[in-house]
Amino acid sequence: MAIYPYKTEPIFDYSLPENQKKYQEALLKEREKFGKQIPLIINGKRVKTDNLLTSVNPANHREIIGEVHQAGISEAETAMEAALETFKTWSKVPSQVRADILFKAAAIYRRRRFELNALETLEAGKPWVEADADVAEGIDFLEYYGRQILELEKIDERIISRRNLERNEYRYIPLGVGAIITPWNFPLAILTGMTCAAIVSGNTVLLKPSSNTSVIAYRFLEIMEEAGLPAGVINLIPGKGSEIGDYIVNHPKTRFISFTGSKAVGVEIYEKAAKVQKGQIWLKRVIAEMGGKDAILVDEGIDTEFVASEIVKSAFGFSGQKCSACSRAIIHEKVYDEVLEKIVLKTNSLTLGDPSNPDNFMGPVIDQKAFDRISNYLQIGMEEGRLVAGGLVDSKTGYFISPTVFADVPQDAKIMQEEIFGPVLAITKVKSFEEGLGVANNSEYGLTGSVISNNRFHLERAREDFQVGNLYLNRKCTGAIVGYQPFGGFNMSGTDSKAGGPDYLILHMQGKSISESF
Ligand code: NAD
């Protein structure tokens, strides 16, 4: 059967009045749904509990997106039983059928694109373009992993048999029940990618979304159901990370854990998963994608206007709340003053406000906790560097922090070392490209990084020695595309699992070698 080749989903052009109108209408429709109760989904059944958590609009925390029922241990256990039972049948469903459910879901995402975009704007605080990019990436994951599972079937062709003696086969088979623990910052894309990679590989899952974006998670599962996914394959159990997240990580029947989130939680999960529990008959596999402290290294002799624009886009897109966001700019002394001046000008021209208004480039940060953490880093930054832009905070209506730049920051400063995960950029000056590469690598993280240089030998040096999972040359350090730039970091940025790449699905499977004698 011929399937057209994978191609990334284009994003919408918001200069077109018809697209603006559709987005505005979708925002209104989503607002009409505000405040509804959102149940768990276990074995296809809607389940309510006595524990409700409010999901709010980060741009206006008086607006309640939904009241989300929270799973406790007993719901998590019921979900595990459902997933174990469903695994018996789902794991035998041909990959073509599993892939078709993903392709159908992609079609539904396309049809409901504006609705999903609007919900992202309201629940995650994503400006229009960022929300649209997140939904488009969700479509990409569905289309890409659907094709990848069909590719993996061909693995058998690479194994040879000895004529008249034996027939050898090699298959990838699913692992079992997975715990999928997702972050809020790409609330549809990452959740879709992590969950659908696991299920298209034949596993069943317990999906624990971030509390900040559980309404989006519910909408996702509704779409998967509409696409024909049988009950019990994905069991949605929103709840407290430290309670039910912990429970499903430790559970002896959990076969693998797919986690995306902070370094602190990732390390904790990795440690806990290593402990073999009573009754457990395997070593749990952990796929962990964690934080970043991503740098853009700027050489001498470059176009300072271009550099400043790439840095500002990378640092402040979605308020710096991307694991790939540029939080360190390392600039050659010969161009330092000029680039800095342009960064400050561009930063000061960014518009900050409610992201449902398309005139605002930047929206709020996600919640009170993030607001407090980032505000604290602003204080630290005042001591460690020179404030040259931003530094203002306001949480009266929403969690707003202005795009902030600190210059002349020493390379070992806290704001050069710790992940802030907000709109804060630290800039440091270096004497040479060589020194700059050393500063760039002076981090426990290794997620993304970029080098802007016209020196061919410097670019080659970075190819070899810049220790990041995603290296970009002469461009910004955000915006990896599924199937084009497989994504995942080194060192404390995770297990380098390369989401959206050709090796990703295999992490959710095991190889079985079968040899029959004749
Ligand atoms: P987080 O670590 O706070 O939470 C992630 C998930 O883990 C949530 O669902 C949370 O409820 C759950 N959790 C919390 N404590 C837990 C525990 N003890 N046991 C099990 N689960 C637990 O991260 P976040 O704030 O949602 O996301 C932001 C972080 O994610 C940043 O550090 C960012 O860099 C990182 N991130 C990384 C990537 C990547 O691909 N490397 C992508 C997106 C985000």
Side-chain angles (χ1 to χ4, degrees):
M1 185 186 7
I3 296 184
Y4 60 88
Y6 167 77
K7 231 169 104 182
T8 188
E9 186 71 14
I11 57 166
F12 283 147
D13 177 357
Y14 287 116
S15 63
L16 301 175
E18 68 257 34
N19 284 344
Q20 293 179 10
K21 187 166 170 273
K22 283 184 192 159
Y23 211 125
Q24 298 287 13
E25 284 168 359
L27 284 166
L28 282 177
K29 277 201 189 131
E30 283 306 312
R31 285 207 145 90
E32 282 165 16
K33 299 180 201 159
F34 273 4
K36 286 203 173 130
Q37 288 200 3
I38 307 292
L40 326 180
I41 305 181
I42 300 176
N43 211 8
K45 295 189 190 71
R46 272 51 184 169
V47 176
K48 296 190 169 175
T49 64
D50 346 320
N51 185 8
L52 285 165
L53 191 81
T54 305
S55 176
V56 301
N57 178 357
N60 180 353
H61 31 65
R62 282 187 306 267
E63 280 187 330
I64 294 174
I65 312 294
E67 301 275 2
V68 183
H69 286 267
Q70 300 291 290
I73 303 294
S74 85
E75 288 80 19
E77 185 53 37
T78 312
M80 173 55 90
E81 280 156 24
L84 285 167
E85 192 56 31
T86 312
F87 181 70
K88 294 178 193 160
T89 47
W90 179 245
S91 56
K92 302 283 191 295
V93 170
S95 350
Q96 176 66 59
V97 176
R98 298 197 300 249
D100 276 348
I101 293 174
L102 267 60
F103 296 145
K104 171 90 185 196
I108 301 170
Y109 275 37
R110 284 194 189 94
R111 286 200 277 278
R112 293 170 62 174
R113 178 97 166 247
F114 282 98
E115 166 205 326
L116 296 170
N117 286 358
L119 181 56
E120 293 236 5
T121 297
L122 295 167
E123 196 181 27
K126 288 215 172 203
W128 288 24
V129 176
E130 302 283 348
D132 190 45
D134 195 52
V135 178
E137 190 178 351
I139 295 172
D140 283 354
F141 276 126
L142 292 164
E143 295 282 1
Y144 184 77
Y145 292 146
R147 284 167 181 74
Q148 281 298 311
I149 196 69
L150 302 177
E151 279 299 308
L152 284 179
E153 300 254 291
K154 298 183 192 149
I155 187 73
D156 202 33
E157 292 164 14
R158 287 197 247 151
I159 299 296
I160 47 173
S161 294
R162 284 178 291 181
R163 196 153 41 106
N164 299 333
L165 186 63
E166 68 191 2
R167 189 176 69 216
N168 295 326
E169 293 167 50
Y170 186 54
R171 310 175 176 171
Y172 286 122
I173 61 168
L175 288 172
V177 176
I180 312 288
I181 303 176
T182 64
W184 52 265
N185 70 329
F186 287 89
L188 193 65
I190 289 185
L191 180 130
T192 302
M194 290 170 65
T195 311
C196 290
I199 62 158
V200 83
S201 306
N203 305 289
T204 54
V205 302
L206 311 180
L207 170 57
K208 201 220 79 65
S210 165
S211 305
N212 290 318
T213 49
S214 296
V215 178
I216 295 173
Y218 184 80
R219 197 73 58 91
F220 156 78
L221 192 41
E222 280 185 326
I223 291 176
M224 295 308 293
E225 289 177 331
E226 191 184 331
L229 189 76
V233 177
I234 302 174
N235 298 281
L236 179 66
I237 45 167
K240 221 172 163 197
S242 54
E243 188 189 354
I244 61 137
D246 197 56
Y247 181 76
I248 61 177
V249 165
N250 288 326
H251 201 292
K253 298 284 186 211
T254 297
R255 181 64 184 82
F256 68 99
I257 297 141
S258 177
F259 166 81
T260 301
S262 62
K263 178 196 125 189
V265 175
V267 168
E268 194 184 323
I269 287 177
Y270 198 68
E271 277 179 16
K272 286 184 176 154
K275 168 114 184 64
V276 176
Q277 304 288 341
K278 195 160 179 286
Q280 184 179 322
I281 57 163
W282 45 61
L283 299 175
K284 286 174 191 165
R285 200 174 286 177
V286 178
I287 303 163
E289 289 300 321
M290 299 157 19
K293 190 69 195 172
D294 312 302
I296 296 186
L297 171 55
V298 180
D299 206 355
E300 60 181 318
I302 41 72
D303 174 349
T304 53
E305 185 65 27
F306 169 74
V307 165
S309 149
E310 294 303 279
I311 290 176
V312 168
K313 273 188 274 180
S314 305
F316 302 123
F318 190 38
S319 309
Q321 300 174 110
K322 300 181 188 179
C323 50
S324 56
C326 171
S327 58
R328 297 182 293 156
I330 302 162
I331 304 178
H332 195 291
E333 62 180 11
K334 291 214 175 119
V335 290
Y336 186 85
D337 291 340
E338 203 177 317
V339 175
L340 179 60
E341 191 188 325
K342 290 181 177 166
I343 288 176
V344 172
L345 272 175
K346 287 181 190 298
T347 303
N348 286 336
S349 73
L350 298 177
T351 43
L352 172 69
D354 189 330
S356 56
N357 175 351
D359 295 337
N360 290 325
F361 169 82
M362 237 178 73
V365 299
I366 190 70
D367 59 13
Q368 183 73 52
K369 215 169 112 201
F371 181 85
D372 293 343
R373 186 190 64 240
I374 301 162
S375 302
N376 186 41
Y377 274 111
L378 295 185
Q379 294 308 315
I380 296 172
M382 306 285 184
E383 287 155 27
E384 292 185 327
R386 177 164 63 93
L387 179 73
V388 289
L392 304 172
V393 302
D394 177 0
S395 63
K396 277 195 298 295
T397 315
Y399 306 110
F400 292 100
I401 297 188
S402 60
T404 299
V405 182
F406 291 103
D408 311 337
V409 185
Q411 62 162 304
D412 288 319
K414 275 194 175 154
I415 62 163
M416 283 287 282
Q417 292 294 327
E418 296 174 13
E419 187 184 45
I420 300 172
F421 216 58
V424 183
L425 172 69
I427 305 186
T428 198
K429 189 195 285 186
V430 288
K431 290 192 168 53
S432 64
F433 176 83
E434 191 70 22
E435 184 193 344
L437 190 57
V439 175
N441 282 332
N442 177 18
S443 169
E444 62 175 345
Y445 293 103
L447 191 48
T448 76
S450 84
V451 171
I452 300 185
S453 174
N454 286 320
N455 182 321
R456 174 53 44 194
F457 294 95
H458 288 172
L459 295 176
E460 292 309 314
R461 179 74 206 285
R463 275 191 160 85
E464 292 292 320
D465 294 332
F466 198 159
Q467 299 301 326
V468 288
N470 284 71
L471 175 65
Y472 298 106
L473 303 177
N474 289 329
R475 54 156 283 184
K476 66 191 172 92
C477 65
T478 53
I481 298 176
V482 172
Y484 296 61
Q485 289 117 9
F487 192 79
F490 296 166
N491 302 333
M492 278 301 162
S493 291
T495 53
D496 185 37
S497 40
K498 293 294 187 278
D503 313 321
Y504 189 68
L505 290 193
I506 301 173
L507 302 172
H508 307 75
M509 307 176 93
Q510 53 195 347
K512 186 167 187 177
S513 188
I514 304 167
S515 186
E516 179 175 352
S517 288
F518 291 109

